[in-house]
Amino acid sequence: MTRYDIVIRGGYVLDGAGAPPMRKDVGIVGDTIVKIGDLSNVEAEKIIRADGLFVAPGFIDIHNHSDLGVFLVPTADNYIRQGVTTIVVGNCGSSPAPLTDNNIDAFKEMRKEFYEKFGIPWRSFSEYLDKLEELKKSINVATLVGHGTVRSAVLGFENRPPTEKELSEMKSFVEEAMKAGAFGLSTGLIYIPSAFASLEEIVELAKVAARYGGIYATHMRNEGNLLIDAVIEALTIGIRSGASVEISHLKASGIPAWGNVKKALALIEDYARRGFDVSADAYPYTASSTGLEALLPKWIREGGRRKLIERLKDPEIIERIRRDLERSGVMEGRYIEWHQVVIALSETHPEVVGKDLAEISREWNLDPLRATAKLLIDDEGGTFVVIHAMNENDVKEVIKHPLVAISTDGSIREFGKGKPHPRNYGTYPRVLAKYVREEKIISLPEAIRKMTSLPARKIGLWDRGIIRPGMKADITIFNFYTVKDTATYEDPHSYPQGIEYVIVNGVVVIEEGRHTGATPGRLLRKG
């Protein structure tokens, strides 16, 4: 007779593939699910009584930014407590490797907290993955290689096309990452230096990722008025490179763009129907979050943060920025209004955290642009913001679409530090509570599919994302009737309710809502 390590007894199993829930037991040996069915009479080291609870595959966050955060908080509390068992990092064109003399100083500046604690423990992507593998952690980690990091490793932060030799060197870095186990290439086309890249440059690098079965994940060039143009560019890169396309955190930002997500989704659907592998992901909130510097024109950000700070001290440059912002529609009454930009983190001005730029400018007796410059100068470019610029109807359209996975666009957080976006603590329970249980815009099996098998199949995690014999035992057990997010914009450091058990690789990490301290997480490598 098989002796099980864990038996989950009496729960309603949601398989992750979209099937309706069925009351079944789940038997686990080691890190693997070995049987599903009636296990009422078997012996096990541990019995989890799941009567009245739902048993789902562990949630997979396909768009995460915990590349370094997992080293700082290896227990990953704010993700594990949401039911997330796997995160995909290296998004928006930013990964911690490869590092060369051309970008290592920028790494030190932008990743100051990590650098001061750990130094520079790697240079190549494979060395980064080796450190991730060694790390004792509670969560599984899969990685993408960031185009911005690859570009800066060769060209620094210059706004120019690469030479043929430089492009070849960039391809070599992507190939090294793919061979080491990366799941694809990402771009962040509003961030420096990815913003300087042409479509042709990205196609050539995406071809390398595609050759190894990798995806192309993109934070597109525009999520506002030019959203459709940006979607077309992403699709073109996929078609020309042969890479599977993942459009990151799909949204329409700014009042003039509201409603355009329907057109974007129709485009994605049309290309998917024609046989192209294209999909997207999204989070269930009407606010986004990024670095404050990303709101400024890309010319001022050329050269990295040190150059940015120097330029912001020049009054003439401030006036040039003002003219550029007025033309591009980021100023008051246009694309983003100053009162919509709320400070999430400022090391030098903690008193303004949670306040918007319009309010701060009044308190400081400065116009909003000069208040922005002061924050960036004092914080050495490290100010982070939450931006309230999306429409709830658009969010619903995206969340319910069958080609859209659920993601957070967040990162592992130190509890209580700053006022980050609540998505870092509440994304998955929020979907289950608000959009499934309360508003009923998607069914429970479909929501679980969008959190599990959809992202797993997208990147090629063939042994996760579904509850079946032979699959890895990453499992989330929740109370559908009580599950909910408690994190808010005002009080974001708040864990959700209703996530009762989380199992990672056959080890219980959350038990009766509490973190056990276990660290069974693994680095997952492509292939």
Side-chain angles (χ1 to χ4, degrees), residues 226-285:
L226 300 178
L227 172 64
I228 304 306
D229 291 350
V231 172
I232 291 169
E233 181 187 44
L235 295 170
T236 302
I237 291 166
I239 292 166
R240 289 178 53 182
S241 68
S244 168
V245 175
E246 178 71 9
I247 293 176
S248 300
H249 44 61
L250 181 61
K251 66 175 77 73
S253 188
I255 292 174
W258 288 359
N260 283 343
V261 292
K262 286 187 178 180
K263 298 175 185 175
L265 289 167
L267 260 176
I268 293 167
E269 197 173 314
D270 179 49
Y271 275 77
R273 194 180 294 116
R274 290 195 243 167
F276 297 104
D277 189 350
V278 54
S279 54
D281 54 79
Y283 47 82
Y285 296 89

Side-chain angles (χ1 to χ4, degrees), residues 179-191:
K179 285 181 175 179
F183 284 81
L185 172 74
S186 77
T187 54
L189 298 177
I190 70 163
Y191 300 114

Side-chain angles (χ1 to χ4, degrees), residues 4 15 37 58 116 118 158 204 209 225 239 306 316 333 423 481:
Y4 297 90
D15 69 355
E116 288 175 350
F118 296 103
E158 295 182 45
E204 289 305 307
N225 285 340
I239 292 166
R306 202 170 295 171
E316 290 185 9
R423 65 193 182 191
Y481 305 101

Side-chain angles (χ1 to χ4, degrees), residues 54 60 72 144 150 175 194 248 256 307 379 394 433 454 463 466 479:
F54 286 80
I60 297 169
L72 297 167
L144 304 171
V150 167
E175 184 169 38
S194 284
S248 300
K307 291 286 187 182
D379 287 336
D394 283 349
L454 180 58
D463 58 355
I466 296 178
N479 186 330

Side-chain angles (χ1 to χ4, degrees), residues 37 45 54 61 81 85 100 121 127 129 135 154 216 230 235 246 259 281 306 316 333 347 418 446-447 457 461 467:
E45 290 292 324
F54 286 80
D61 184 6
R81 286 173 183 261
T85 56
T100 68
E127 289 169 343
L129 292 191
L135 179 70
V154 179
Y216 169 65
L235 295 170
E246 178 71 9
D281 54 79
R306 202 170 295 171
E316 290 185 9
E347 295 285 359
E446 172 66 357
R457 301 293 80 74
L461 285 176
I467 294 184

Side-chain angles (χ1 to χ4, degrees), residues 13-19 54-60 406 428 431-432 436 442-455 465-467 476 478 480:
V13 174
L14 291 152
D15 69 355
F54 286 80
V55 181
F59 306 149
I60 297 169
I406 305 302
Y428 293 88
V431 170
L432 295 172
V436 179
I442 46 177
S443 70
L444 180 56
E446 172 66 357
I448 296 300
R449 183 187 72 86
K450 290 155 85 56
M451 298 173 179
T452 58
S453 68
L454 180 58
I466 296 178
I467 294 184
T476 293
F478 62 94
F480 177 64

